[in-house]
Amino acid sequence: MGNSLLQAFIDWTGKIGLNYEFLAGGYEAQIWRGGFITTLYLIVLLIPVSLAFGLLFAAMLTSSRKLVSAPVRAFIEITRNTPTLVQLMFSFLVLNTLVSNVLGGAQNNPLSPFFWVVAVVGLHVAALHADAIRAGIEAVPEQTVEAARAIGFTRLQILRFVEAPLAIRASLPALVNNLINLVKLTTVGNAIAVSEITYASIMVWTQRDNVVELMIVILLFFSAINLAVARIGHWVEKRLAVPGFGVGS
């Protein structure tokens, strides 16, 4: 049944001038499906990684100790002022080589290209999250913080139970935009041969000369995922909205 539908799809698209015949071939179809799965895996992994580090960086940014906040501010400035592709190439070609040298050769280096994509893209988006959450923390009314301090909360407790929950609510629109950007940034893995969807598609179209067909699918694929991310983000915004405070109030 599945093969019949697939063949019907290939025949129908062939009539309108599109070549999806590779779907009927075992090896190329397998590479392409693997690309989809790798991209989805990257997205599922990168979202929590970026949010966790974003929250950590925001907490460090709002610290009154320069020794804590200054290194994070320097990292954020470098990260947001340089292209993600350059950061990835630098990390893979320079840092990864240094790690290999320290460990006595590439054969002893456990860090794969996939790891570097997760690390670089995750920290890049975390830097963007951090500034958004920091702005949210600074928007928390001083009276609210004073009230928490008056009942005996420590600085860490105020951050954890008062400022962070309110800041995340206020920062949600910016966080959702950052997550949409994160989905698109997974394609930089192509530069260091991580077999995500664009890399897999290139592997196919170099054999089949069907760039148009594959680009149509890639465009629809990322549009569908980012539409889902935006809709989920909007739903979360409405669920967490605090009347009288922040967006959605």
Side-chain angles (χ1 to χ4, degrees), residues 102-126:
V102 169
L103 296 177
Q107 69 276 12
N108 299 321
N109 187 348
L111 305 180
S112 65
F114 186 89
F115 165 83
W116 287 110
V117 173
V118 172
V120 172
V121 175
L123 292 179
H124 178 89
V125 178

